[in-house]
Amino acid sequence: MNAPVNAPKLYDCRDAFAATLERLAAENETIVAVCNDSVGSSKLGGFKSKFPERLVNVGIAEQNMVGVGAGLANGGRLPYVCGASPFLTGRSLEQIKADISYSNANVKLVGISSGMAYGELGPTHHSIEDFAWTRVLPNLPVIAPCDRIETAAAVEWAATYHGPCFLRLSRVGVPDLLPEGHKFELGKANLLREGSDVTLIANGTLTHRMLKAAELLAVRGISARVLNLATVRPIDEEAIIAAAKETGAIVTAEEHSIFGGLGSAVAEVVVDNAPVPMKRLGVPGIYAPTGSAEFLLDEFGMAPSAIADAAQSLIKRK
């Protein structure tokens, strides 16, 4: 099927990650990449060609991979530890807790193909629990960029941040949403659209869908604010509280379970500071079936039209 004539160009955030990492490595010889037999899926082929002595491929041994990253950090290196998000997080959670978070190791964890990006490979490859697993750990910022520009900015920021972090990247193509030259700021939301009737909050692959939903709501006479909340921890409480007080209703959408993820993080802030009606869109506490990421997002009520309908229904509860 041909794309619509005016459809925006879509970009794979992994390409922005790889290009930025290669540039940073050329400037900083302490940067190393560690992966779990995922040179291809992590887009590390160029890094391997340019810096073969600085790529450590541990094979399919994610727990060892995290430990190797911690050891390299202790030895003065700056490791970016890359792997498919369901295996980097779920299989290695104990090591992430003890070797990275508790030890406050200067390791950059990069979860590749998060959410339901591996849709056709089924539930074992879906990464719809990684927000919940990682955001409870102290010392570990959790970040899900919305486009290639924010991805590059976050990778560059991570190189200057002394401490661990978790970057959650998808392989699903997304359009540019932020301006070229955007600087990532930890814990700060990006206001993508002004609005007064309801606030739509997302990150990662759902952000552009929220903007489309806001456009549909505008046609219906509803003014929707859109926030890109790339940092799940530490979260931008100020932006969330302002949204609650000024718009009176909040819808969140995420490529994750509705339990423990972005929606839960926003709800915690709202209930403690400015209770308003909320709707959390995501995977409803089940194992997502096999299917493309786009298909599954639509099936779970996160097509732009479905988001707009959810927002319109929520406004009636104000």
Side-chain angles (χ1 to χ4, degrees), residues 253-316:
E254 58 195 309
E255 198 175 0
H256 188 276
S257 169
I258 61 170
F259 299 106
L262 174 67
S264 295
V266 172
E268 289 161 11
V269 176
V270 170
V271 74
D272 283 345
N273 297 279
V276 296
M278 274 192 66
K279 178 65 176 178
R280 292 174 296 129
L281 301 175
V283 181
I286 64 172
Y287 290 108
T290 301
S292 72
E294 296 289 341
F295 167 78
L296 291 171
L297 289 173
D298 289 350
E299 283 295 296
F300 289 126
M302 289 180 281
S305 58
I307 295 170
D309 290 343
Q312 188 167 7
S313 295
L314 186 67
I315 291 171
K316 297 176 182 178

Side-chain angles (χ1 to χ4, degrees), residues 15-314:
D15 292 324
F17 158 71
T20 305
L21 187 63
E22 290 171 30
R23 176 175 58 80
L24 293 172
E27 301 167 357
N28 183 351
E29 63 182 14
T30 68
I31 289 178
V32 295
V34 186
C35 69
N36 58 340
D37 204 21
S38 59
V39 172
S41 61
S42 297
K43 299 280 189 172
L44 292 173
F47 189 100
K48 181 180 179 180
S49 297
K50 295 175 183 177
F51 315 105
E53 74 286 357
R54 287 197 265 160
L55 176 73
V56 181
N57 188 348
V58 303
I60 303 175
E62 288 79 10
Q63 294 169 330
N64 289 343
M65 176 177 69
V66 172
V68 167
L72 287 166
N74 288 339
R77 299 288 182 173
L78 181 55
Y80 282 74
V81 176
C82 312
S85 197
F87 311 126
L88 171 63
T89 56
R91 193 171 291 168
S92 311
L93 192 56
E94 181 183 0
Q95 285 70 30
I96 293 173
K97 175 183 176 180
D99 297 343
I100 307 299
S101 171
Y102 176 72
S103 302
N104 203 28
N106 192 27
V107 175
K108 318 306 170 183
L109 301 169
V110 185
I112 300 293
S113 302
S114 60
M116 295 177 288
Y118 281 134
E120 289 84 357
L121 297 180
T124 58
H125 284 61
H126 296 157
S127 191
I128 56 174
E129 309 88 4
D130 50 3
F131 279 153
W133 289 336
T134 55
R135 81 177 184 93
V136 298
L137 297 176
N139 303 322
L140 188 69
V142 177
I143 302 160
C146 70
D147 65 4
R148 66 180 180 98
I149 295 168
E150 189 169 37
T151 298
V155 172
E156 187 166 355
W157 165 87
T160 65
Y161 176 76
H162 189 77
C165 64
F166 173 57
L167 299 177
R168 185 188 198 251
L169 307 181
S170 181
R171 66 195 296 146
V172 175
V174 292
D176 286 346
L177 302 177
L178 297 173
E180 292 284 357
H182 169 77
K183 298 296 183 183
F184 178 80
E185 189 174 355
L186 183 68
K188 291 296 182 182
N190 305 123
L191 176 62
L192 301 184
R193 185 182 178 108
E194 295 280 3
S196 57
D197 296 325
V198 64
T199 299
L200 310 181
I201 300 178
N203 58 22
T205 56
L206 266 297
T207 311
H208 76 99
R209 286 176 172 241
M210 285 301 216
L211 281 168
K212 290 181 180 178
E215 293 171 2
L216 295 175
L217 287 168
V219 174
R220 305 177 191 179
I222 296 171
S223 173
R225 180 178 304 186
V226 180
L227 291 179
N228 168 44
L229 211 61
T231 308
V232 178
R233 179 169 180 169
I235 204 161
D236 191 340
E237 293 191 3
E238 183 178 348
I240 295 168
I241 294 169
K245 291 181 176 180
E246 293 167 11
T247 70
I250 294 176
V251 178
T252 61
E254 58 195 309
E255 198 175 0
H256 188 276
S257 169
I258 61 170
F259 299 106
L262 174 67
S264 295
V266 172
E268 289 161 11
V269 176
V270 170
V271 74
D272 283 345
N273 297 279
V276 296
M278 274 192 66
K279 178 65 176 178
R280 292 174 296 129
L281 301 175
V283 181
I286 64 172
Y287 290 108
T290 301
S292 72
E294 296 289 341
F295 167 78
L296 291 171
L297 289 173
D298 289 350
E299 283 295 296
F300 289 126
M302 289 180 281
S305 58
I307 295 170
D309 290 343
Q312 188 167 7
S313 295
L314 186 67

